[in-house]
Each structure stands twice: as structure tokens, then as C-alpha cells.
Amino acid sequence: MSTQRELNIQRAHAVLDWNRRHLKHDAVLAEADITQCFAQRFVVEPNGRHYEANPANYLEFINGMKASMTGIEYQIVHTVADEESAMFDMVAHISHTDGRSERFVAMLLMRFDEHGKVVLWKETYLPAP
């Protein structure tokens, strides 16, 4: 039987898999797709900013972000988890329709509710050297 910690690691990997499938310019998304991983109300905190999110406004944000993306891939370096959260130290690789490629070093903390949905997405990322 999985511990809650192991379950949260699995959930966090599932969210990254969701990103791999959906963060592409040609992926069609609906609010129902957002609720596969995210709660009805959640917080997004990228690089110190704070946003109250829901499936509708997050869908709008995601559609804008992925407009030029052909894909995203993650290289997990370290994983830490507890009873509520999982955190990845990772490198993210983003490719774009114009041939550009970006690489970021990132720390991503995901906190989950009792249904296994993300209620906090806190990420600090910097362009990789």
C-alpha cells in the first residue's frame, strides 16, 4: 500500500505528464481538462507573484502560455514529499514553433487537497546557463 508521501509524488508526476500532453500550441483545452489536476479554487505563485485561480481563468492563462509551444519536458533532479505536498528540483525544457528552445532550472512545490487536486502551484524558475 502506498503512503501519502508516495501518493503525492505520483500525483505530482501525473501533473507534469498532463503538462507534457497539453502544453502544446495545437492542444485543445477546456475547463474540464484543467479540473483533471487542479481544484476548483487554487493558488499559483510563479517567481514570487500570487494569483487566485480557478479552471476558467487558468484555462485563459494556459492557452496564452502554450500558444507558441511545441512541447515541454522535465528532468527531475530531486524529489521531496510529505503528507500534503510534493516538490521537484528540476530542469524544464520548452520548445517553440519558431524553433526556439528555452531551458529553466526550477523548484516546483505542489500541494494537494483531499481529492488529490492541486491547490497550490508554487514555482521559482530561472533561465538555465
Side-chain angles (χ1 to χ4, degrees), residues 13 26 43 45 71 87 91 106 109 116 121 125:
H13 278 286
D26 56 354
V43 172
E45 293 183 342
M87 185 174 72
V91 178
L109 170 66
W121 174 283
Y125 54 92

Side-chain angles (χ1 to χ4, degrees), residues 31 34 40 42 53-61:
E31 286 182 35
I34 303 298
Q40 289 298 314
F42 57 100
N54 59 52
N57 67 17
Y58 199 59
L59 175 64
E60 183 178 344
F61 166 77

Side-chain angles (χ1 to χ4, degrees), residues 40-113:
Q40 289 298 314
R41 297 176 66 153
F42 57 100
V43 172
V44 178
E45 293 183 342
N47 279 3
R49 296 180 306 269
H50 179 93
Y51 302 100
E52 298 289 330
N54 59 52
N57 67 17
Y58 199 59
L59 175 64
E60 183 178 344
F61 166 77
I62 289 290
N63 279 333
M65 183 181 80
K66 72 180 187 69
S68 71
M69 292 174 62
T70 57
I72 188 165
E73 191 50 58
Y74 302 97
Q75 175 189 355
I76 306 299
V77 179
H78 298 286
T79 302
V80 177
D82 63 17
E83 299 300 312
E84 298 175 342
S85 310
M87 185 174 72
F88 293 136
D89 167 18
M90 63 186 180
V91 178
H93 303 267
I94 300 173
S95 54
H96 295 274
T97 55
D98 63 4
R100 281 183 304 120
S101 181
E102 296 178 287
R103 198 169 148 244
F104 298 93
V105 293
M107 296 290 281
L108 171 60
L109 170 66
M110 286 179 264
R111 179 164 291 140
F112 302 97
D113 66 11

